[in-house]
Amino acid sequence: MNTQTLNHRILYATALFLAGAFLILTSESYAWSDQRQLSSQIAEYHGFMREHPKASTQIRENPQLVYDGKFLKSHPEVNHFLKGRPELRQEIARRPGQVFGWNNRNDYRYGRYDRDDRRFGWWRH
């Protein structure tokens, strides 16, 4: 194999690697923008629900109500709000902790050091 062929192969491999890296980085940015959009929708939802406390309490107690036709018929303003935001509706039903702030309620790694957990109590002997 001569040097010119080897240089072409190296150049080709480098181009493929850079194209792959570019594709990975750009596809990741879509995920971040989707997350930002969802966060914005969650903030809008909290503002909307301040004006509708009864519906807010019911959805908080049973997040599956966002798909319940009877509930949505009795609260048409909630139905109208959620109709244009299918990702938000899905997030409320599938992961209510993300929307209502319940996630990691039992995660005490950053607040309670009085547990008998030796991973965080290395200074106690």
Side-chain angles (χ1 to χ4, degrees), residues 3 11-12 14 17-18 21 25 27 30 33 46-47 52-54 57 61 63 67 80 90 92 108 111 114 119:
T3 352
L11 183 63
Y12 181 71
T14 305
F17 174 76
L18 290 175
L25 290 175
S27 67
Y30 288 120
S33 79
H46 286 296
H52 305 90
K54 183 178 178 185
T57 303
E61 290 172 359
Y67 288 116
H80 180 70
Q90 184 178 12
I92 291 170
Y108 300 115
D114 58 344
R119 290 178 299 162

Side-chain angles (χ1 to χ4, degrees), residues 5-21:
T5 307
L6 184 61
N7 286 340
H8 283 289
R9 286 185 179 183
I10 291 173
L11 183 63
Y12 181 71
T14 305
L16 282 176
F17 174 76
L18 290 175

Side-chain angles (χ1 to χ4, degrees), residues 7-120:
N7 286 340
H8 283 289
R9 286 185 179 183
I10 291 173
L11 183 63
Y12 181 71
T14 305
L16 282 176
F17 174 76
L18 290 175
F22 178 75
L23 287 174
I24 289 172
L25 290 175
T26 57
S27 67
E28 192 115 2
S29 68
Y30 288 120
W32 282 107
S33 79
D34 289 347
Q35 186 61 37
R36 260 186 256 129
Q37 180 183 2
L38 184 62
S39 296
S40 145
Q41 288 181 0
I42 289 172
E44 289 175 18
Y45 171 78
H46 286 296
F48 177 79
M49 284 302 175
R50 280 188 204 104
E51 300 168 11
H52 305 90
K54 183 178 178 185
S56 175
T57 303
Q58 290 173 338
I59 292 174
R60 191 178 282 263
E61 290 172 359
N62 182 6
Q64 297 301 319
L65 287 176
V66 295
Y67 288 116
D68 185 10
K70 183 178 176 184
F71 172 80
L72 294 173
K73 200 176 280 189
S74 66
H75 298 283
E77 63 281 348
V78 175
N79 187 25
H80 180 70
F81 181 81
L82 291 174
K83 195 171 269 188
R85 298 166 179 85
E87 300 89 11
L88 176 63
R89 182 182 296 216
Q90 184 178 12
E91 190 74 11
I92 291 170
R94 292 179 70 201
R95 291 189 293 252
Q98 283 294 113
V99 178
F100 300 123
W102 303 334
N103 53 345
N104 298 329
R105 269 201 261 181
N106 298 322
D107 187 6
Y108 300 115
R109 285 181 290 174
Y110 301 110
R112 274 185 50 188
Y113 288 100
D114 58 344
R115 290 190 313 167
D116 189 26
D117 189 351
R118 297 297 175 214
R119 290 178 299 162
F120 302 109

